[in-house]
């Protein structure tokens, strides 16, 4: 294969630095324009060194330099003759991007990898988590083709009656940096403080300076997480089952030999895999660097690289570099890339391990003066000056770019308006009782008040022709925003017999929220209450409250031969949430879950008090477990366990109606009985087990993407002590055990809209066991799977 190499040289003024010859430069890949990391540079056949993770190098020499030799992955060796005493180099290489298929691994290389894994797999967990270190983050977004970018962006701005002023040069759209201190408090807990943050262009907060949380490339983890995708680490587990290895080059550095090992997925196993190079220090038996990209070529290019340093026998990160070409998810063909680089330094062992109450990654800023330009690492970057000139010529962009946050908040169900945000789910909704529901829900943001959060809503159902409304006030008691008091009141409708765990912040699957559109049996509800949330220990939260509610059935129903119009309840509620080892980012009063490696446990106890207004004395106990686990080479398993118990006979609305999710035409709801009709069963005690396993992408592609196969098994059992207490409504008792299984394919069709990916699939579910239908065909249910992701 012929490799075309183009060399572009920018020769500056001749100067001497303290009698030394100084040469600096950067090597860039001519295909994507990205820096080529870890390129070897040989000076006069004597001095040899590697560039950094950004493809940059710097040489100080006391003797004249006559020849430079460059050696980089995917390129033939390039020799440059030096004709100037001091030069600045910008070298661009045009590389081939076709990876030749590897038919079998090099057995000697595979032996090196296995020996390395055997000797290094446990050190990360034993030593690395007892450290503190510093980290410098840089996130950059710029246009590769500024003329086309401006033309397309002007088309968008024209919708708002605005236009960019003429500026011909390339520049940064976004440049953000932050300096963080990370300190491990104990084996599972660490704290992170942002010492300073500086920016050029858009001054945004967590959305960009938190990019380093979107990927993890530790050589000791089973997976490298990039965004929401988990790629099997080529240096973990029985790696030969997933990847092939081949020695492509060797580099002599000082007294060691560096092996350049190419890795690629085995044939027909490319989906959700990486391909690239491992730079292995054979002499010291350690990985010095890795370079990788997605094995399957897509419109959205992604490359990631990392350098490692040896710290007391442990390979710790020295730098990481990520570039993503966003071309494939834009409405226009403009090429825009997101760059994220991180430098790690100042590693230290802690002499004493201290306890810490809060386990969040605490993101804090010193003050508003930190929001300023940072030139410390970009002194020779001409784009800085261009960026300042561009924003000076277009000051309106500072406000227009706030719209970048708009799509993110829409994805979370919010519409930001100044210091407030509208709840999308309150604007329009649908269920079988209310029909189309239109309304308005609003809540205050932190910029209005750091201590108080006000929420209110109003809505109207076109089928039941009723107006609903409500309001709440939350008061934060301390700066950590875990401890708060909330008072609330509402006049609304609620699902009869539903079990809600309010301390669960979000569903395990986005499909679960779609179940609300199929609800039919609901109660008119009037409720007043107060509740308090307290963080008890590192991983344990508690919630205590009391409320009064009046529930009026909207369906024909009589309890113990009494067809009263409504039922009154006064409940004391106590709840717990325990999530061992979870990691969060706390940004003001908002919490972002980063990692939850262990199961989450939820418990709640409700006590009805007849002495203060309730129609009944009773106790209810409810428990939930959520757990998801990525299994190397086998996909992802998810499990949810639910159980509940009421100690006396109660009206329909306070019992457990099962968690059915079957309609004539419906989608997969996850953690729901897919073949069970809504309100088919009634229990005062129950146990549900929902299990699903996604095997990951299949071995064949469809329309340039890989569908995934998912398996599902659900089991439920329950009982009802006094079934004769409930009249005028039909139900079954779940005391024989309910069984169903399903198999479906996700993402048969994918629709990309401005970065929001909607995947459509389909599959079958089968109802069997004691409650299967006599007619075999009625036990088979066809459903559509709907996956929405960024």
């Amino acid at each position: 294969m012929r490799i075309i190499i183009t060399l572009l040289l920018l020769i500056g003024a001749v100067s001497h630095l303290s009698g030394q010859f100084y040469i600096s430069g950067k090597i860039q890949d001519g295909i994507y324009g990205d820096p080529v990391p870890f390129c070897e540079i040989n000076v006069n056949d004597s001095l040899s060194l590697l560039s950094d993770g950004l493809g940059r190098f710097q040489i100080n020499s006391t003797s004249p330099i006559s020849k430079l030799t460059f050696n980089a992955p995917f390129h033939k060796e390039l020799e440059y003759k030096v004709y100037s005493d001091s030069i600045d180099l910008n070298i661009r290489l045009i590389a081939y991007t076709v990876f030749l298929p590897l038919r079998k691994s090099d057995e000697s290389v595979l032996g090196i990898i296995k020996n390395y894994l055997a000797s290094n797999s446990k050190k990360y967990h034993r030593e690395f988590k007892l450290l503190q270190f510093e980290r410098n983050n840089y996130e950059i977004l710029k246009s590769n083709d500024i003329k086309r970018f401006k033309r397309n962006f002007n088309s968008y701005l024209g919708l708002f009656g605005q236009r960019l002023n003429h500026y011909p040069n390339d520049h940064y759209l976004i440049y953000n940096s932050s300096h963080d201190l990370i300190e491990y408090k104990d084996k599972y807990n660490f704290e992170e403080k942002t010492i300073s943050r500086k920016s050029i262009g858009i001054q945004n907060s967590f959305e960009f300076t938190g990019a380093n949380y979107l990927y993890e490339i530790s050589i000791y983890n089973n997976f490298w997480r990039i965004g929401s995708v988990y790629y099997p680490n080529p240096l973990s587990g029985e790696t030969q089952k997933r990847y092939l290895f081949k020695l492509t080059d060797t580099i002599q550095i000082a007294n060691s030999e560096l092996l350049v090992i190419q890795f690629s997925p085995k044939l027909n196993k490319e989906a959700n895999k990486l391909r690239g190079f491992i730079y292995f220090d054979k002499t010291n038996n350690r990985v010095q660097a890795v370079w990788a990209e997605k094995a399957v070529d897509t419109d959205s290019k992604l490359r990631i690289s990392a350098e490692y340093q040896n710290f007391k026998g442990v390979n710790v990160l020295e730098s990481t570099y990520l570039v993503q070409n966003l071309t494939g998810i834009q409405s226009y063909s403009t090429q825009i890339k997101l760059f994220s680089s991180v430098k790690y330094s100042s590693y230290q062992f802690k002499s004493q391990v201290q306890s810490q109450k809060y386990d969040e990654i605490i993101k804090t800023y010193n003050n508003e003066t930190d929001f300023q330009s940072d030139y410390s690492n970009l002194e020779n970057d001409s784009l800085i000056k261009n960026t300042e000139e561009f924003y000076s010529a277009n000051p309106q962009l500072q406000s227009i770019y706030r719209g970048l946050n708009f799509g993110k908040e829409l994805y979370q169900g919010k519409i930001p308006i100044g210091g407030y945000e509208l709840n999308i789910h309150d604007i329009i909704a649908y269920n079988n009782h209310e029909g189309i529901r239109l309304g308005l829900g609003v809540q205050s943001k932190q910029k209005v008040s750091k201590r108080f959060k006000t929420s209110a809503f109003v809505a109207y159902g076109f089928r039941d022709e009723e107006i609903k409304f409500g309001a709440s006030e939350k008061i934060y008691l301390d700066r950590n925003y875990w401890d708060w008091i909330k008072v609330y009141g509402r006049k609304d409708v609620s699902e009869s017999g539903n079990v809600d765990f309010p301390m669960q912040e979000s569903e395990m699957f986005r499909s679960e929220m779609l179940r609300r559109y199929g609800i039919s049996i609901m109660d008119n509800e009037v409720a007043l209450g107060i509740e308090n949330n307290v963080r008890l220990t590192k991983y344990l939260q508690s919630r205590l409250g009391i409320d009064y509610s009046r529930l009026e059935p909207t369906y024909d129903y009589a309890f113990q031969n009494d067809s009263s119009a409504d039922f009154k309840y006064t409940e004391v509620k106590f709840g717990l949430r325990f999530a061992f080892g979870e990691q969060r980012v706390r940004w003001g009063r908002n919490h972002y879950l980063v990692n939850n490696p262990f199961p989450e446990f939820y418990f709640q106890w409700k006590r009805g008090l007849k002495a203060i207004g309730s129609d009944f004395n009773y106790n209810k106990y409810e428990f939930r477990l959520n757990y998801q686990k990525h299994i190397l080479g086998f996909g992802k398993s998810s499990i949810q366990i639910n159980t509940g118990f009421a100690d006396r006979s109660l009206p329909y609305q306070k019992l457990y109606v099962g968690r059915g999710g079957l309609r004539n035409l419906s989608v997969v709801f996850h953690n729901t009985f897919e073949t069970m009709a809504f309100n088919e069963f009634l229990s005062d005690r129950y146990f549900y087990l929902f299990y699903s396993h996604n095997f990951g992408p299949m071995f064949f592609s469809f329309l340039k993407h890989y569908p995934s196969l998912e398996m599902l098994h659900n089991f439920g059992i329950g009982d009802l002590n006094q079934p004769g207490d409930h009249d005028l409504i039909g139900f079954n008792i779940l005391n024989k055990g309910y069984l169903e299984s399903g198999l479906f394919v996700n993402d048969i069709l994918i629709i990309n809209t401005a970065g929001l990916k909607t995947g459509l699939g389909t599959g079958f579910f089968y109802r069997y066991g004691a409650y299967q239908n006599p007619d075999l065909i009625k036990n088979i249910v066809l459903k559509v799977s709907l996956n929405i992701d960024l």
Side-chain angles (χ1 to χ4, degrees):
M1 177 181 294
R2 177 172 299 179
I3 303 176
I4 304 174
I5 301 179
T6 303
L7 176 63
L8 302 178
L9 300 177
L10 300 177
I11 302 179
V14 177
S15 62
H16 294 272
L17 300 177
S18 301
Q20 296 181 340
F21 294 91
Y22 172 80
I23 299 177
S24 65
K26 178 185 288 188
I27 299 178
Q28 291 185 327
D29 189 316
I31 295 296
Y32 299 109
D34 305 334
V36 177
F38 318 121
C39 174
E40 183 196 19
I41 304 163
N42 187 281
V43 183
N44 291 349
D45 295 324
S46 57
L47 177 63
S48 181
L49 68 156
L50 285 178
S51 62
D52 65 12
L54 299 179
R56 301 177 301 190
F57 60 91
Q58 179 175 312
I59 305 170
N60 290 280
S61 176
T62 56
S63 60
I65 297 175
S66 60
K67 183 178 66 173
L68 297 175
T69 304
F70 303 91
N71 194 351
F74 313 110
H75 302 84
K76 288 183 178 178
E77 185 178 279
L78 173 68
E79 183 177 302
Y80 171 68
K81 293 183 179 180
V82 180
Y83 296 101
S84 175
D85 290 339
S86 179
I87 61 174
D88 293 326
L89 294 178
N90 183 352
I91 297 177
R92 182 183 179 208
L93 305 177
I94 296 180
Y96 66 93
T97 58
V98 177
F99 282 75
L100 298 178
L102 301 178
R103 295 301 175 183
K104 66 177 183 178
S105 294
D106 186 318
E107 294 300 329
S108 61
V109 172
L110 189 58
I112 292 173
I113 297 295
K114 288 182 178 180
N115 291 336
Y116 172 76
L117 291 175
S119 61
N120 288 275
S121 60
K122 302 300 181 183
K123 289 185 177 180
Y124 174 84
H125 299 285
R126 185 170 66 248
E127 301 179 24
F128 181 62
K129 289 200 172 191
L130 303 181
L131 302 173
Q132 70 177 28
F133 59 93
E134 296 182 25
R135 182 177 63 203
N136 286 286
N137 311 284
Y138 300 91
E139 285 81 41
I140 299 169
L141 184 65
K142 66 178 182 177
S143 168
N144 294 78
D145 183 352
I146 192 64
K147 293 181 180 179
R148 192 194 309 173
F149 168 79
K150 288 173 61 178
R151 182 172 64 250
N152 291 337
F153 196 49
N154 269 326
S155 299
Y156 170 75
L157 294 181
L159 300 175
F160 304 93
Q162 300 204 37
R163 187 173 184 83
L164 293 177
N165 294 319
H166 177 70
Y167 186 77
N169 301 320
D170 197 4
H171 57 86
Y172 291 121
L173 301 173
I174 299 169
Y175 173 82
N176 280 312
S177 69
S178 66
H179 181 203
D180 302 328
L181 174 65
I182 296 90
E183 184 176 7
Y184 284 86
K185 297 296 185 179
D186 57 32
K187 187 175 181 181
Y188 299 100
N189 177 35
F190 64 91
E191 180 180 71
E192 172 180 327
K193 293 184 179 179
T194 298
I195 299 172
S196 65
R197 172 189 174 271
K198 302 178 183 182
S199 64
I200 303 170
I202 304 169
Q203 295 179 354
N204 211 333
S205 54
F206 176 79
E207 283 69 24
F208 292 103
T209 56
N212 53 287
Y213 297 112
L214 299 180
Y215 61 95
E216 295 177 344
I217 49 174
S218 168
I219 58 177
Y220 300 105
N221 292 344
N222 285 337
F223 295 90
W224 289 346
R225 190 188 76 234
I226 304 175
S228 61
V229 180
Y230 286 77
Y231 297 92
N233 181 355
L235 289 167
S236 184
E238 297 184 51
T239 184
Q240 72 277 6
K241 292 184 177 180
R242 292 171 292 277
Y243 289 99
L244 297 167
F245 298 89
K246 184 177 182 180
L247 181 64
T248 61
D249 203 354
T250 58
I251 301 175
Q252 297 296 327
I253 301 177
N255 297 322
S256 64
E257 181 181 33
L258 193 66
L259 306 181
V260 183
I261 301 172
Q262 181 182 359
F263 67 90
S264 65
K266 288 191 172 182
L267 297 179
N268 300 322
K269 294 186 179 182
E270 295 91 347
N272 275 24
K273 298 293 193 306
L274 297 169
R275 61 188 182 191
F277 290 86
I278 299 167
Y279 296 77
F280 187 81
D281 186 341
K282 184 178 179 181
T283 305
N284 299 303
N285 190 38
R286 73 181 188 91
V287 175
Q288 180 166 317
V290 296
W291 183 99
E293 68 177 3
K294 291 192 294 186
V296 178
D297 290 323
T298 62
D299 292 333
S300 179
K301 304 292 183 183
L302 183 146
R303 289 182 171 184
I304 191 166
S305 57
E307 283 185 282
Y308 303 93
Q309 56 181 296
N310 184 12
F311 181 73
K312 297 184 181 297
V314 181
N315 270 23
V316 296
L317 285 167
E318 181 176 338
S319 67
T320 60
Y321 181 76
L322 173 73
V323 58
Q324 184 167 9
N325 189 331
L326 304 179
T327 304
I329 59 175
Q330 302 300 313
S331 56
Y332 296 106
S333 60
T334 302
Q335 293 186 5
I336 297 180
K337 300 176 187 177
L338 174 65
F339 297 83
S340 176
S341 63
V342 185
K343 294 288 186 181
Y344 303 84
S345 62
S346 305
Y347 284 98
Q348 298 178 22
F349 274 117
K350 289 174 57 64
S351 58
Q352 295 180 347
V353 178
Q354 303 172 355
S355 63
Q356 178 72 10
K357 179 180 179 182
Y358 298 103
D359 65 301
E360 305 103 324
I361 306 170
I362 301 175
K363 298 285 291 185
T364 58
Y365 288 161
N366 290 340
N367 51 59
E368 292 298 322
T369 60
D370 289 329
F371 292 81
Q372 56 185 306
S373 297
D374 178 14
Y375 299 161
S376 59
N377 287 276
L378 297 173
E379 293 177 352
N380 297 319
D381 195 334
S382 63
L383 295 187
I384 288 182
K385 182 179 179 181
N386 294 347
T387 301
E388 292 190 321
E389 292 178 354
F390 175 77
Y391 279 95
S392 296
N394 297 280
Q396 74 274 25
L397 285 179
Q398 290 293 342
S399 59
I400 292 175
Y401 274 144
R402 294 192 185 102
L404 289 174
N405 237 3
F406 191 78
K408 177 176 177 288
E409 298 212 28
L410 282 179
Y411 180 68
Q412 297 175 342
K414 311 292 183 183
I415 299 178
I417 301 179
Y420 298 86
E421 54 191 11
L422 303 181
N423 297 318
I424 293 179
H425 296 305
D426 290 330
I427 296 176
I428 183 169
Y430 176 86
N431 59 68
N432 286 325
H433 171 71
E434 295 179 281
I436 296 177
R437 171 176 168 141
L438 297 180
L440 184 66
V442 63
Q443 62 185 20
S444 62
K445 299 172 70 173
Q446 189 171 347
K447 63 173 65 177
V448 174
S449 173
K450 291 184 178 180
R451 189 174 181 185
F452 298 93
K453 182 177 182 178
T454 304
S455 303
F457 76 90
V458 62
Y460 178 78
F462 282 84
R463 180 174 295 172
D464 65 350
E465 299 181 342
E466 293 286 341
I467 296 176
K468 295 89 178 176
F469 54 87
S472 67
E473 186 73 30
K474 183 182 287 187
I475 306 171
Y476 295 94
L477 302 179
D478 68 357
R479 66 180 182 86
N480 297 291
Y481 299 107
W482 283 110
D483 299 346
W484 48 260
I485 293 176
K486 178 181 177 181
V487 294
Y488 58 87
R490 63 180 177 270
K491 178 182 180 297
D492 204 349
V493 292
S494 59
E495 181 184 2
S496 296
N498 182 47
V499 179
D500 181 33
F501 287 83
M503 298 183 73
Q504 182 174 328
E505 301 164 39
S506 61
E507 296 88 352
M508 292 178 65
F509 299 90
R510 298 191 182 278
S511 62
E512 292 181 65
M513 67 179 67
L514 300 175
R515 183 182 177 274
R516 70 187 68 178
Y517 296 107
I519 298 172
S520 295
I521 298 182
M522 307 186 80
D523 298 292
N524 289 321
E525 177 187 33
V526 176
L528 295 171
I530 182 171
E531 61 183 2
N532 171 227
N533 194 90
V534 177
R535 188 68 172 260
L536 297 176
T537 63
K538 194 183 308 180
Y539 305 117
L540 181 64
Q541 295 180 60
S542 70
R543 189 166 297 184
L544 178 65
I546 183 170
D547 72 5
Y548 169 81
S549 62
R550 188 177 75 244
L551 298 178
E552 177 188 0
T554 62
Y555 43 92
D556 293 332
Y557 177 68
F559 177 67
Q560 295 179 345
N561 298 319
D562 181 7
S563 57
S564 299
D566 55 40
F567 300 90
K568 302 179 183 65
Y569 304 94
T570 301
E571 284 187 336
V572 174
K573 302 178 180 180
F574 175 72
L576 293 172
R577 176 185 182 273
F578 180 72
F580 179 74
E582 73 174 355
Q583 297 172 358
R584 292 171 175 263
V585 174
R586 175 166 58 77
W587 185 265
R589 67 189 183 197
N590 296 317
H591 294 259
Y592 302 85
L593 183 62
V594 177
N595 186 28
N596 199 349
F598 301 105
E600 301 174 59
F601 299 92
Y602 298 88
F603 167 79
Q604 55 191 18
W605 166 63
K606 300 174 183 179
R607 170 67 175 173
L609 299 174
K610 195 171 183 178
I612 53 175
S614 178
D615 289 339
F616 310 95
N617 285 318
Y618 59 89
N619 292 284
K620 293 179 66 178
Y621 308 92
E622 294 158 356
F623 170 84
R624 172 173 290 178
L625 177 148
N626 290 335
Y627 185 50
Q628 290 186 308
K629 174 69 174 179
H630 285 83
I631 303 172
L632 189 62
F634 197 64
K636 181 179 73 172
S637 283
S638 304
I639 186 171
Q640 182 180 93
I641 295 175
N642 293 277
T643 185
F645 168 73
D647 67 352
R648 63 153 292 169
S649 182
L650 292 172
Y652 187 92
Q653 56 211 199
K654 283 296 180 178
L655 296 182
Y656 309 109
V657 297
R659 193 164 175 82
L662 176 62
R663 288 294 180 196
N664 292 331
L665 178 62
S666 59
V667 301
V668 178
F669 291 141
H670 282 99
N671 293 331
T672 299
F673 291 104
E674 308 288 351
T675 63
M676 179 189 294
F678 283 75
N679 302 92
E680 184 176 349
F681 294 91
L682 183 65
S683 306
D684 56 21
R685 68 203 69 180
Y686 74 96
F687 175 88
Y688 301 153
L689 171 64
F690 301 107
Y691 172 78
S692 64
H693 183 84
N694 192 318
F695 292 94
M698 296 181 176
F699 297 152
F700 62 89
S701 62
F702 180 76
L703 297 178
K704 296 185 178 180
H705 62 268
Y706 285 77
S708 63
L709 182 67
E710 188 165 353
M711 172 187 66
L712 180 148
H713 296 287
N714 297 329
F715 169 77
I717 190 169
D719 205 351
L720 184 63
N721 271 338
Q722 303 292 334
D725 287 349
H726 310 278
D727 295 321
L728 306 180
I729 190 169
F731 58 86
N732 294 319
I733 300 176
L734 197 62
N735 57 359
K736 297 179 182 179
Y738 189 95
L739 291 166
E740 67 176 15
S741 297
L743 190 66
F744 57 98
V745 180
N746 292 305
D747 300 335
I748 297 175
L749 177 64
I750 290 182
I751 302 172
N752 281 315
T753 306
L756 189 67
K757 185 185 76 172
T758 301
L760 298 175
T762 187
F764 292 91
F765 296 87
Y766 183 66
R767 174 172 175 163
Y768 57 98
Y771 294 101
Q772 72 179 71
N773 293 298
D775 188 353
L776 178 63
I777 196 65
K778 291 183 178 180
N779 295 301
I780 301 173
V781 175
L782 173 65
K783 283 200 168 188
V784 175
S785 68
L786 180 64
N787 296 311
I788 301 175
D789 203 353
L790 287 175

